[in-house]
Amino acid sequence: MTYILIFISAVFVNNIVLSQFLGICPFLGVSKKIETALGMSGAVAFVMTISTLVTYLIQKTILEPFNIGFLQTITYILIIAALVQMVEIILKKVSPALYQALGVFLPLITTNCAILGVAIMVIQKDLNLIESVVFAISTSIGFGLALVLFAGLREQIGMTRLPKMIEGTPISLITAGLLAMAFMGFAGIVK
């Protein structure tokens, strides 16, 4: 039951992008097409899950026992950067088209505050290893859901005629706000 609550909370109630406003850069930057949104979601899911697992183990086996918790942030950033490099190399070989489509946003996963935020949140929430992995996977699913929904909305908006004043970024921000308000309807389901 705990894992189901973690899943529902991370995907819908406390969505990392729409409720906690972490990961906004890729949310706005890679959401013009559903295909690139799906690719970015997959890359973020992989990096978020693996980095949460690795950072949790390092926190519990090195940082806490040796009382060097002050190195948490820099350690986590280095781990995330190494994992993003690995994803970049794999994508370049496996799917060059997706690698090109993601472009500059792939290296930006390194600085995606959602990934660092999840790694830190699992420690702050005092989750165990399995709960941490479930939380990371659920959060990445929530990130992907928000990204794909927003990309779909942006594609639909791209086919409509809009007043010149709200074309581009203004309508994107209005749409993101409305999507965030829609997700607020899930508030109160779980804490």
Side-chain angles (χ1 to χ4, degrees):
M1 189 64 174
T2 302
Y3 303 124
I4 294 170
L5 291 176
I6 289 172
F7 178 81
I8 292 170
S9 175
V11 174
F12 300 110
V13 179
N14 297 316
N15 187 286
I16 197 85
V17 177
L18 300 173
S19 295
Q20 298 178 16
F21 307 112
L22 295 174
I24 297 294
C25 180
F27 178 71
L28 292 173
V30 188
S31 60
K32 292 181 181 158
K33 293 184 180 178
I34 291 178
E35 295 120 28
T36 55
L38 285 169
M40 178 59 104
S41 298
V44 166
F46 177 77
V47 172
M48 189 177 288
T49 304
I50 300 299
S51 67
T52 300
L53 177 66
V54 172
T55 55
Y56 181 89
L57 292 173
I58 287 179
Q59 178 75 28
K60 297 299 180 183
T61 60
I62 297 172
L63 298 179
E64 285 179 8
F66 292 107
N67 201 21
I68 52 174
F70 60 90
L71 293 174
Q72 181 187 49
T73 304
I74 191 71
T75 304
Y76 287 13
I77 289 171
L78 291 172
I79 291 167
I80 292 166
L83 288 169
V84 169
Q85 281 300 115
M86 186 176 74
V87 168
E88 197 168 350
I89 291 167
I90 291 169
L91 270 182
K92 198 172 191 179
K93 291 199 183 281
V94 173
S95 179
L98 180 59
Y99 176 78
Q100 291 289 62
L102 292 175
V104 72
F105 294 102
L106 190 57
L108 286 178
I109 293 176
T110 306
T111 58
N112 186 344
C113 56
I115 294 172
L116 179 61
V118 168
I120 291 172
M121 277 190 260
V122 298
I123 301 302
Q124 289 176 343
K125 292 181 179 210
D126 199 29
L127 301 176
N128 64 38
L129 182 62
I130 296 171
E131 291 172 342
S132 298
V133 171
V134 169
F135 181 74
I137 291 168
S138 302
T139 302
S140 63
I141 290 170
F143 177 85
L145 176 67
L147 192 62
V148 171
L149 284 173
F150 189 55
L153 290 170
R154 285 184 77 177
E155 282 186 4
Q156 288 296 315
I157 289 170
M159 292 187 261
T160 60
R161 288 182 46 156
L162 297 169
K164 279 274 192 220
M165 293 171 31
I166 64 168
E167 284 181 352
T169 304
I171 193 64
S172 296
L173 293 175
I174 292 167
T175 305
L178 292 172
L179 189 58
M181 286 175 52
F183 269 70
M184 286 178 65
F186 294 114
I189 293 176
V190 290
K191 292 186 182 205

